[in-house]
Amino acid sequence: MGRVAGKVALVTGGASGMGRADALLLAAEGAKVVVTDFNVQDGQAVADQIGGDAIFLPLNVTDEDNWKSVIATTVETFGALDILVNNAGMMIMGNVLDTSLEDWRKVNAVNSDGVFLGCKHAIPAMAASGGGSIVNMSSVAAISGQSFVAAYTASKGAVRSFTKSVAMFCKEQKNGVRCNSVHPDGVKTPMVVKVALGKETATQEDIDMVGKAGNMCDPEDVANLVLFLASDESRFITGAEMLIDNASTITPPISM
Ligand SMILES: NC(=O)c1ccc[n+]([C@@H]2O[C@H](COP(=O)([O-])OP(=O)(O)OC[C@H]3O[C@@H](n4cnc5c(N)ncnc54)[C@H](O)[C@@H]3O)[C@@H](O)[C@H]2O)c1
């Protein structure tokens, strides 16, 4: 019996990196998975790889009408929505001085607005079937700040505090929906290659090289945490910020 057997899970940004690993693991543990992404080709390939019940739906997380139709199609197809992994994200390099307003808005539209829209439209669908679990992908940037990605840091900070607002709201409503944020440090995905090497596309070799140099974890390490938060094993955990950072956010004591 899988750890999320029979549950219906929607994953955003499921075409690549952590979203792909989340979709594969949730499916392996018995969930019916809706893979979504605005990268149609790679997203469809992930759904095809899973096979069985899995479907792919195109979703740009910044588009509210797109969210409404994807959630409606999910419920029509599978009869419920139990798990939402708000994973889609992007990063643009730049500190507070060299980030343009345009780039600030672009990053916040995906990372912050996208999570807001996902929660807003998933909660009623989840509540209708007795509850569910929302996992919002944040970052260590939300905990300790990162000077070289100002807009990204702000967007992930928004995800961190918004998650607590959603958790409190759902608790007040007694609707059975939980909401937690996940805060990884470096993870071996195409995103870190784009940042570290400035390349638009990443080969597995690039990912391995950057990951090794940065002592990073694998997408599957994060997927294991997502699975736990998605499953009923974490039924008393809501509003939590879960670090997966190999202690990178702990400041060493002064004596060290
Ligand atoms: N890789 C890391 O080191 C790291 C660390 C902490 C947090 N994160 C976060 O983890 C999440 C996954 O990142 P990843 O490292 O797997 O990156 P990735 O680039 O491999 O995957 C991101 C996915 O999001 C999709 N996406 C981007 N904009 C979208 C939009 N508007 N609508 C729909 N899909 C969109 C992309 O097409 C891609 O498939 C992101 O939120 C990222 O900020 C990554």
Side-chain angles (χ1 to χ4, degrees):
M1 185 80 164
R3 291 165 65 189
V4 284
K7 292 188 188 289
V8 179
L10 194 162
V11 180
T12 71
S16 170
M18 278 184 256
R20 178 175 178 276
D22 296 342
L24 293 173
L25 185 59
L26 287 164
E29 290 294 336
K32 295 165 186 155
V33 176
V34 181
V35 180
T36 70
D37 206 292
F38 68 0
N39 177 342
V40 173
Q41 195 181 335
D42 292 349
Q44 183 65 58
V46 173
D48 291 346
Q49 184 182 346
I50 295 170
D53 287 324
I55 58 168
F56 171 75
L57 297 174
L59 172 63
N60 182 334
V61 295
T62 66
D63 182 334
E64 186 162 18
D65 287 338
N66 201 171
W67 264 113
K68 287 182 190 167
S69 74
V70 160
I71 287 180
T73 305
T74 300
V75 173
E76 273 162 33
T77 308
F78 294 119
L81 175 63
D82 305 300
I83 297 163
L84 170 64
V85 186
N86 274 318
N87 162 84
M90 70 171 302
M91 178 186 270
I92 297 178
M93 301 296 282
N95 63 34
V96 59
L97 298 187
D98 54 33
T99 295
S100 66
L101 182 58
E102 191 191 357
D103 283 351
W104 172 275
R105 287 185 174 148
K106 222 186 266 178
V107 170
N108 278 280
V110 178
N111 297 0
S112 175
D113 298 3
V115 171
F116 158 65
L117 291 172
C119 292
K120 182 178 168 71
H121 294 291
I123 288 168
M126 288 180 163
S129 54
S133 174
I134 300 173
V135 182
N136 291 334
M137 197 53 62
S138 183
S139 163
V140 291
I143 311 286
S144 52
Q146 286 173 341
S147 61
F148 54 95
V149 280
Y152 182 81
T153 296
S155 70
K156 294 301 186 181
V159 172
R160 179 192 189 192
S161 45
F162 175 64
T163 296
K164 295 179 196 304
S165 170
V166 170
M168 285 173 70
F169 170 77
C170 292
K171 188 177 172 187
E172 287 158 9
Q173 297 289 307
K174 298 184 174 52
N175 63 13
V177 179
R178 298 182 293 110
C179 186
N180 295 290
S181 57
V182 169
H183 301 257
D185 194 359
V187 187
K188 293 178 214 164
T189 70
M191 180 181 281
V192 292
V193 170
K194 285 177 204 164
V195 172
L197 304 182
K199 291 176 78 170
E200 265 318 298
T201 51
T203 63
Q204 191 55 48
E205 212 176 15
D206 292 332
I207 295 173
D208 292 342
M209 187 182 74
V210 170
K212 206 169 167 193
N215 192 20
M216 295 175 187
C217 73
D218 291 311
E220 291 72 21
D221 294 315
V222 180
N224 281 322
L225 176 55
V226 169
L227 170 65
F228 168 68
L229 291 172
S231 78
D232 294 339
E233 294 161 19
S234 59
R235 69 187 183 89
F236 216 65
I237 300 176
T238 188
E241 47 191 65
M242 309 291 277
L243 280 161
I244 173 160
D245 72 337
N246 198 22
S248 72
T249 46
I250 301 174
T251 309
I254 289 165
S255 60
M256 283 184 74

